[in-house]
Amino acid sequence: MIDYFRDTEYPALGYMFSVAAVNASNRGSGVGFAGAGISAAAAMVGNADAEFQSISGIKATRNTESYRPLGMNNYDFQLPTTTSYDDLVLERGVVKTFSDFTIWCNSFINLDLPDAANLGSGMVNSGSKSDAITKKIILVFLWDRNKYAPLMTWTFFDAIPKSIEYSSISAKESSYAIEKITIAYSHFSTIPNPVAPF
């Protein structure tokens, strides 16, 4: 039996997560959009797009500037200015087949859509060149222990790939080949999704 109260009280497990990417044209608002994102993530179960080894860069910083009023030399007020966001960094082992996410990243950076005939059965969804180089919305889900429902959802808007980096290849080491994808975005929102007891 699943103990939903325990899942909401105990700290979340950092390795129970998944990633989904949806077209920016699918952007909605409110609960409807969150539901669409969860549906997209559920549809990607077993797809290499969602199988990332690690995620970093989920950070927002409110910048400030120092202000000292005249005649108050012992005060230093911090006035808020803009908000800055770190790049989202996704890492995983190199997969054997092309996926929609990899095609999107390579197409956006190189402005070149691979020939569908050369991709074989690994291509998930062939589309036009203009579709491949558009901005996307990236959703990161932190799941409960049983992967029943997300405990936290991060939505990254206006996402574009900045770089793709592959680990060095050496015959001296027996290690996995790692693919590192850096994503820039305009802003992100955080939605807590506590598991509701039945």
Side-chain angles (χ1 to χ4, degrees):
M1 181 176 177
I2 301 174
D3 188 349
Y4 295 101
F5 292 102
R6 175 174 176 148
D7 284 336
T8 57
E9 293 173 358
Y10 277 62
L13 300 176
Y15 59 84
M16 296 290 291
F17 65 89
S18 63
V19 180
V22 297
N23 292 331
S25 59
N26 294 340
R27 178 175 176 175
S29 61
V31 178
F33 176 66
I38 294 173
S39 299
M44 295 177 67
V45 172
N47 190 311
D49 284 353
E51 297 172 357
F52 284 95
Q53 165 185 316
S54 66
I55 300 174
S56 61
I58 306 178
K59 180 181 178 181
T61 303
R62 189 63 185 265
N63 302 309
T64 62
E65 63 180 18
S66 179
Y67 171 70
R68 285 181 174 272
L70 294 177
M72 301 178 67
N73 296 329
N74 58 332
Y75 286 88
D76 187 2
F77 294 96
Q78 296 296 315
L79 303 180
T81 56
T82 59
T83 302
S84 60
Y85 301 90
D86 286 8
D87 290 336
L88 186 67
V89 180
L90 309 173
E91 293 187 42
R92 66 179 174 189
V94 176
V95 294
K96 297 179 180 179
T97 59
F98 280 96
S99 64
D100 287 341
F101 195 87
T102 304
I103 293 171
W104 170 63
C105 292
N106 281 289
S107 301
F108 198 99
I109 293 173
N110 300 318
L111 298 178
D112 181 32
L113 184 64
D115 185 3
N118 296 331
L119 296 178
S121 60
M123 185 163 184
V124 180
N125 185 17
S126 60
S128 66
K129 189 168 184 177
S130 60
D131 292 338
I133 58 175
T134 57
K135 295 182 291 185
K136 287 187 179 290
I137 296 172
I138 306 295
L139 299 111
V140 176
F141 301 93
L142 183 64
W143 296 89
D144 67 348
R145 286 169 167 75
N146 303 286
K147 210 167 184 180
Y148 175 81
L151 298 176
M152 191 77 70
T153 303
W154 292 275
T155 305
F156 301 86
F157 298 94
D158 306 310
I160 58 171
K162 285 182 62 176
S163 68
I164 301 179
E165 178 184 351
Y166 295 93
S167 60
S168 59
I169 301 173
S170 174
K172 298 178 182 179
E173 302 176 1
S174 57
S175 58
Y176 291 105
I178 301 298
E179 178 182 50
K180 181 179 178 181
I181 301 172
T182 303
I183 304 290
Y185 55 92
S186 64
H187 65 288
F188 73 82
S189 64
T190 306
I191 303 175
N193 301 103
V195 178
F198 285 33

